[in-house]
Amino acid sequence: MAGAIIENMSTKKLVIVGAILLFFQAFSFMVGGLIGPSPTTAIHYLATKCVDTVKTHHKGSKWFMPWGPDQCSKISDFDEAMAKRIEANNIVFAVHIPLPNREMSPWFQFMLVILQFDIAFKMQNQIEDGSLVTMDVGLAYRDSTLSEWTEMARSIEHRKLSCNFTATKTYKNEGHYYECDPLPFMEVGSVAHKYYLLNIRFPVKERKKVNIWNGEIEAIRLVSIHQNGGFTKVWFAMKTFLTPSVLIIMIWYWRRITQMTRPPVLLEKIIFALGISMTFTNIPVEWLSVGFNWTWMLLFSDIRQGIFYSMLLSFWIIFCGEHLMDQTERNRFSVYWKQVGPIVFGFFCLFIFDMCKRGVQLKNPFYSIWASDVWSELAMAFIIVAGICICLYFLFLCFMVFQVFRNISGKRSSLPAMTKALHEGLIFRFKFLMLVTLACAAMTVIFFIISQVNEGHWHWGGYMVQVNSAFFTGIYGMWNIYVFALIFLYAPSHKHYGDEKSSGRYIQLQTRSTSSFRTSATEPEVRGGVFDNERAQDI
C-alpha cells in the first residue's frame, strides 16, 4: 500500500530535499540582488519650444525635432514669442526619446511617460481650481537617423491641473512657479523602435474657452520610465529555467496519480491545477516580444498573473479545508464555493479594470484612466479595496491554519502512546509544511499590495518607481519552489510494505464523528488529507 511521499520518505532525505529547495530560494534572491540591476530606469527630459512657421499643425504632416541636422526653429521663452508676435497655437513642444547619441531597445519592454508643468504665476492669468489642460499630442517613430518619422499615434487629450501657489498672489510674486502634481501622459506596451518623437501643442480657442485660464506654461518636463534591459534578460533567463522544471515534475506527478487504482481526490486535482497555472505563468513568451512589436504583452502578463493569483489563493483555502479532519464533507469542490467564489469574482473585477486601462491603450497610448475624476476615484477605490480584501483573506487563512493545528493537537492527545510515537514525525512534517504555506501567503500578500501601491505611485507623484530586484526575483522564485515542493511531496509514493504488515490492522483518524479514531482490518477510506489518505499506519 503506498501513500504520499511526505509520509513515506525518510527524514534524512526530506531534510536534503528541503536544503536543496532552500538553496534555490536563496539563489533566486541573489539573482536579483547581485546580478540583476534595478527593474526600472527613469530618464528626465525638457521639452524644446519649436515654432511652426508655416502653420501646418492642422494637417499633422510635419514633425518637429528638438536637435540634430533637421532641428526646428526654436524660441527660449514666451517673452521672445511675444516679441516676435508668435501665437501660442504656433508653438510646439518637442521631445526626442531617448537623449542624443542613445537608442531605445526592445529589451526595455514598455515605456511610461509622466508629464510635469512649470507654470509661472501671473496676476492676469491665474490657474483656476480644477483647470483643464487640452493638448494636441502626436507620437512618431523611426529606426534610423536618416529615415523619415512615421506617425504612431495622435490624439486630443485633456488633463486636470492640480497646482498650488505657496506664496502670496501679488504682482511682486509674478514669475514664481506653481507647485503642480505630475500628470499621467503616455504608456506604450512595447519598445520596438530605436527613436521616438513627441510633439505637444496647446491649442488656444477663446470662444470655446480652451486653454484660456491655465497660467503661463514656461516649460514642460517629462519623465520616461522603462524596464532595464539587464533586468529583462535576467528575468527572461529565470523564466526559461523554471518553465521546464515545473512542467517536468507536473507530468511526473500526474503519471503517478493515473497509475493508481483509485481516481484522484480533490487535493491531488487542485495541486495539479496549481502546477498548470504556474507553468502558464512561467512560459517565456516574452522572448518573442523582443523581435515583434507586441503592444499587448503588458495586458497578457497581467492576465497570466491574475490567473495564477486566483488559483493560488483558492488552493490555500482548499488545502487547509481538506486537512480539517472534523469537517464532515470534503473531497468536493462545491463545498468551498463560498470561499473560492469571492476570490474568482474579485480577480474578475480586476481583469475588467485592467481591460479598461490597458485595453484602450492598445489603440491610444495617451489614454489614462487617471485623467478622469470618476475613473481615477474608481481606480483608487479598486486598489484600496483590493488591499483590504487581500489582508482579510490572509487573516482568514491564518484562522484556518489555527483550526487545523488545534484539530491535530486534539487528535494527537487522544492517541495511545505507541500510536502517538508513530504519528509524531508525520505531524511535525505537516505542521512545518503549513507554516511554510503561511509564510508564502504572507510574502504573496505583501508583494501584491506593493505592486498595487506602486501602480498608484506611477500616476500620483512618484518619478522613480522601482521594486527591488532581489524582492522581485525572490518572490517569483518562491512561488515556483513552493509549487514544486507541493507537487513532489504530495505525489503518490512507490514505497510498498511487506505482506505481513499489509495484512495487519490499520488505524486512521476519524473524520465523520466526534470520536478520535477507529480501527479497521480492511483498507482505510481514501479522503485526500495527509492523515487520512490512502496509507494508514499499522499497529
Side-chain angles (χ1 to χ4, degrees):
M1 172 99 219
I5 289 179
I6 190 175
E7 299 176 80
N8 293 334
M9 180 173 280
S10 66
T11 303
K12 180 180 178 181
K13 292 180 179 179
L14 276 179
V15 170
I16 293 175
V17 172
I20 294 174
L21 295 179
L22 185 62
F23 168 78
F24 279 107
Q25 178 63 78
F27 181 73
S28 64
F29 277 104
M30 290 189 292
V31 165
L34 302 178
I35 301 176
S38 299
T40 56
T41 294
I43 301 177
H44 296 252
Y45 298 90
L46 177 64
T48 300
K49 302 182 188 70
C50 295
V51 179
D52 186 0
T53 55
V54 295
K55 301 181 181 181
T56 59
H57 55 277
H58 291 296
K59 299 178 182 180
S61 58
K62 184 177 180 180
W63 295 94
F64 296 86
M65 267 287 293
W67 44 263
D70 55 346
Q71 60 183 283
C72 63
S73 175
K74 308 172 187 175
I75 57 173
S76 57
D77 51 38
F78 281 92
D79 291 336
E80 181 181 349
M82 292 180 64
K84 295 181 179 180
R85 296 183 179 180
I86 300 174
E87 297 180 359
N89 286 324
N90 295 329
I91 297 177
V92 181
F93 289 85
V95 179
H96 185 278
I97 301 176
L99 296 170
N101 302 320
R102 295 187 181 182
E103 295 180 356
M104 300 298 283
S105 169
W107 293 103
F108 294 164
Q109 291 294 289
F110 68 89
M111 181 169 57
L112 174 70
V113 180
I114 298 173
L115 188 66
Q116 174 75 60
F117 289 115
D118 287 347
I119 303 178
F121 170 73
K122 295 291 184 180
M123 285 293 295
Q124 302 300 324
N125 189 14
Q126 299 183 30
I127 297 180
E128 296 181 347
D129 292 336
S131 293
L132 199 65
V133 174
T134 301
M135 298 177 289
D136 183 355
V137 293
L139 174 66
Y141 68 87
R142 67 182 181 183
D143 294 309
S144 171
T145 55
L146 302 178
S147 60
E148 296 293 329
W149 290 102
T150 302
E151 182 176 307
M152 183 174 175
R154 187 174 293 277
S155 176
I156 302 294
E157 294 295 322
H158 307 281
R159 299 290 187 270
K160 180 173 287 189
L161 293 175
S162 178
C163 299
N164 181 33
F165 191 67
T166 56
T168 306
K169 294 183 178 181
T170 60
Y171 285 99
K172 182 180 179 180
N173 291 323
E174 281 193 342
H176 289 73
Y177 289 145
Y178 288 88
E179 293 182 0
C180 297
D181 292 340
L183 300 172
F185 182 64
M186 181 186 74
E187 186 170 8
V188 179
S190 173
V191 188
H193 306 286
K194 295 181 179 180
Y195 310 105
Y196 293 87
L197 180 64
L198 282 167
N199 281 181
I200 308 171
R201 300 174 186 268
F202 295 90
V204 177
K205 299 178 182 179
E206 295 185 3
R207 291 184 178 180
K208 296 183 179 181
K209 295 183 179 181
V210 176
N211 293 331
I212 299 298
W213 304 107
N214 289 330
E216 188 171 303
I217 301 176
E218 294 288 343
I220 295 179
R221 304 179 187 276
L222 291 92
V223 182
S224 173
I225 302 172
H226 61 261
Q227 187 166 296
N228 271 329
F231 178 81
T232 302
K233 294 175 182 178
V234 171
W235 183 248
F236 286 6
M238 192 172 182
K239 290 174 73 73
T240 303
F241 170 76
L242 291 172
T243 299
S245 303
V246 177
L247 180 61
I248 290 172
I249 195 170
M250 188 176 65
I251 296 174
W252 169 83
Y253 169 81
W254 194 246
R255 282 190 60 191
R256 287 204 167 192
I257 294 294
T258 54
Q259 288 174 0
M260 302 185 71
T261 56
R262 60 168 176 81
V265 296
L266 177 61
L267 187 60
E268 293 167 340
K269 293 177 182 178
I270 199 70
I271 289 176
F272 184 69
L274 182 64
I276 292 176
S277 65
M278 188 77 260
T279 303
F280 180 62
T281 305
N282 284 340
I283 296 175
V285 294
E286 290 87 351
W287 283 111
L288 299 176
S289 67
V290 178
F292 298 93
N293 185 18
W294 287 353
T295 56
W296 45 266
M297 277 304 300
L298 283 179
L299 179 61
F300 181 66
S301 298
D302 287 347
I303 293 174
R304 289 201 300 176
Q305 193 172 27
I307 292 174
F308 174 72
Y309 270 136
S310 60
M311 189 68 239
L312 185 64
L313 269 58
S314 301
F315 165 77
W316 283 331
I317 295 295
I318 297 175
F319 180 70
C320 293
E322 287 297 287
H323 288 94
L324 284 173
M325 291 170 289
D326 285 336
Q327 185 169 306
T328 57
E329 292 188 13
R330 287 188 292 166
N331 199 28
R332 290 192 298 112
F333 184 77
S334 58
V335 176
Y336 302 96
W337 72 268
K338 291 182 179 179
Q339 295 90 350
V340 175
I343 295 174
V344 176
F345 177 76
F347 279 97
F348 177 76
C349 292
L350 289 176
F351 168 73
I352 298 298
F353 168 73
D354 210 43
M355 286 296 295
C356 294
K357 180 180 66 173
R358 299 200 191 278
V360 181
Q361 288 177 344
L362 296 178
K363 289 188 176 181
N364 179 17
F366 299 104
Y367 171 80
S368 174
I369 61 173
W370 304 95
S372 169
D373 288 340
V374 175
W375 278 106
S376 61
E377 291 177 1
L378 183 62
M380 289 302 297
F382 258 93
I383 294 173
I384 294 172
V385 171
I388 294 173
C389 290
I390 198 70
C391 291
L392 292 176
Y393 168 86
F394 180 71
L395 293 176
F396 177 71
L397 185 65
C398 291
F399 174 72
M400 290 193 69
V401 173
F402 170 74
Q403 280 189 314
V404 172
F405 278 23
R406 185 178 61 178
N407 189 286
I408 293 174
S409 299
K411 298 296 184 184
R412 185 173 58 176
S413 63
S414 303
L415 287 169
M418 182 182 298
T419 308
K420 185 182 295 186
L422 290 172
H423 283 84
E424 199 68 36
L426 180 58
I427 290 173
F428 172 78
R429 295 178 184 186
F430 171 70
K431 283 190 172 182
F432 181 77
L433 181 60
M434 292 298 292
L435 291 176
V436 170
T437 296
L438 209 56
C440 182
M443 296 295 289
T444 301
V445 169
I446 293 172
F447 181 77
F448 178 81
I449 293 176
I450 288 178
S451 63
Q452 295 301 313
V453 170
N454 278 336
E455 177 72 10
H457 282 173
W458 277 7
H459 300 283
W460 293 101
Y463 278 163
M464 295 185 65
V465 180
Q466 296 181 1
V467 178
N468 184 272
S469 295
F471 186 65
F472 205 96
T473 57
I475 294 298
Y476 183 70
M478 179 194 71
W479 290 338
N480 282 272
I481 292 170
Y482 177 75
V483 173
F484 185 96
L486 281 173
I487 294 175
F488 175 75
L489 294 176
Y490 276 82
S493 173
H494 281 185
K495 182 180 290 186
H496 294 269
Y497 296 87
D499 294 336
E500 182 180 352
K501 291 186 177 181
S502 298
S503 61
R505 294 171 62 86
Y506 297 100
I507 187 166
Q508 182 188 30
L509 298 178
Q510 176 73 329
T511 60
R512 292 189 177 180
S513 66
T514 56
S515 60
S516 298
F517 295 91
R518 64 180 174 86
T519 56
S520 174
T522 60
E523 181 176 331
E525 181 184 3
V526 177
R527 292 191 56 82
V530 169
F531 296 101
D532 54 352
N533 62 5
E534 192 186 27
R535 172 181 174 262
Q537 296 288 348
D538 58 297
I539 299 179

